[in-house]
Amino acid sequence: MTATIIDGKAFAAGVRGQVTTEVERVKAAGITPGLAVVLVGEDPASEVYVGHKHRATIEVGMTSFEHRLPADTSEGDLFALIDRLNADPAVHGILCQFPVPAHLDERRTVARIDPAKDVDGLSVTNAGLLATGGDALVSCTPLGCLMLLRDQLGDMTGLDAVVIGRSNLFGKPMAQLLLRENCTVTIAHSRTQDLAEVCRRADILVAAVGRAQMVRGDWVKPGATVIDVGITRGPHPDKPGKSRLLGDCDFDSCAEVAGAITPVPGGVGPMTIACLLANTLTACCRAHGLEEPQGLTA
Ligand SMILES: Nc1nc(=O)c2c([nH]1)NC[C@@H]1CN(c3ccc(C(=O)N[C@@H](CCC(=O)O)C(=O)O)cc3)C=[N+]21
């Protein structure tokens, strides 16, 4: 069997197209959705992602506010900026790119962001709303995975879903979303006993452990849908001095067994950015009491 390759890049382009149309509608009502991205320090990978986000935001017709702060920014200065963005009516979404330098605290930083503008869905309010069935802003990467899964599988009722990874940014919200879709959900992680055996039970296998190519074909149930959330940059095997991105799945062996699988790159990554735009639009519509777009939320 050879798996269907889920084209996240194409799907994300469709989502961005829908966001573009909706942004026009909101602009006709006199409001331009705005996204503020805060980057503290000079992590090269973060620079690249923030650049992608900036371009994508402008492309869909929103306003992009970029705030680059030096690595030694104090918590007080960072919080002063967040307070200004919270109060700014032109800003509907705020994202503070992680990781932040070690002297800053991610939990305290997230807690400072107005939950109504928390387009990463990381605040206690949004995590709690998601867990209790409310209208949360949902973390962008799990939301993107949900969109791909819905498109691929339709009704997921009764399916066994295994999420490898338990982070607040991904594993936990992904598990909540799958539970909402009536899956039987297992959250596995690096300490799970007999991880391969647990994975082999999964109709839906979502890998977000952060270890390149850890999931092998013999971990995959025949016909399963495999979502690869990993993005590890490693040396390129053929081009010296160049790098390439690796997922958490060993693509070739998994694709021989799976029914469908997302590639890296071109799978989940582009969906993350598309969902960041979708969340900003949703936050904007909620802030102004405008009708929310369909199909862009959980
Ligand atoms: N507060 C916060 N929220 C985040 O959502 C967040 C973050 N911090 N820190 C870093 C991670 C990583 N992340 C990605 C976004 C897009 C791609 C993406 O577009 N990837 C492309 C390729 C990119 C490339 O070639 O480098 C792909 O997979 O096809 C990847 C990774 C968001 N993150």
Side-chain angles (χ1 to χ4, degrees), residues 49 52-53 95-98 120 231 233 245 265-266 269-270 272-273:
Y49 293 137
H52 285 176
K53 287 169 184 176
L95 177 143
C96 180
Q97 185 77 14
F98 289 161
D120 256 337
I231 34 159
R233 201 165 279 282
L245 282 188
T272 300
I273 294 185

Side-chain angles (χ1 to χ4, degrees), residues 161-261:
V162 173
V163 179
I164 320 173
R166 52 177 156 176
S167 66
N168 291 328
L169 190 65
F170 184 79
K172 287 178 200 169
M174 187 73 245
Q176 293 289 359
L177 290 172
L178 290 163
L179 193 55
R180 275 196 181 189
E181 299 292 312
N182 304 314
C183 292
T184 304
V185 181
T186 302
I187 304 180
H189 46 79
S190 55
R191 310 285 184 87
T192 296
Q193 281 185 37
D194 222 337
L195 183 56
E197 191 55 44
V198 172
C199 292
R200 271 193 288 271
R201 283 186 236 140
D203 302 304
I204 297 169
L205 180 60
V206 185
V209 252
R211 275 220 261 137
Q213 298 180 309
M214 189 173 93
V215 176
R216 304 266 152 185
D218 63 350
W219 294 28
V220 176
K221 178 173 171 173
T225 302
V226 177
I227 304 289
D228 190 346
V229 185
I231 34 159
T232 306
R233 201 165 279 282
H236 199 285
D238 312 319
K239 298 178 191 158
K242 294 260 181 193
S243 70
R244 69 158 169 182
L245 282 188
L246 288 172
D248 288 348
C249 299
D250 175 49
F251 184 83
D252 292 342
S253 66
C254 289
E256 276 177 28
V257 188
I261 184 168

Side-chain angles (χ1 to χ4, degrees), residues 91-136:
V91 173
H92 301 97
I94 303 170
L95 177 143
C96 180
Q97 185 77 14
F98 289 161
V100 290
H103 69 282
L104 295 169
D105 183 273
E106 287 180 356
R107 291 168 66 89
R108 283 173 56 84
T109 303
V110 165
R112 194 78 179 192
I113 297 172
D114 179 351
K117 298 190 179 188
D118 166 33
V119 283
D120 256 337
L122 281 172
S123 61
V124 170
T125 301
N126 280 314
L129 283 169
L130 177 61
T132 55
D135 268 339

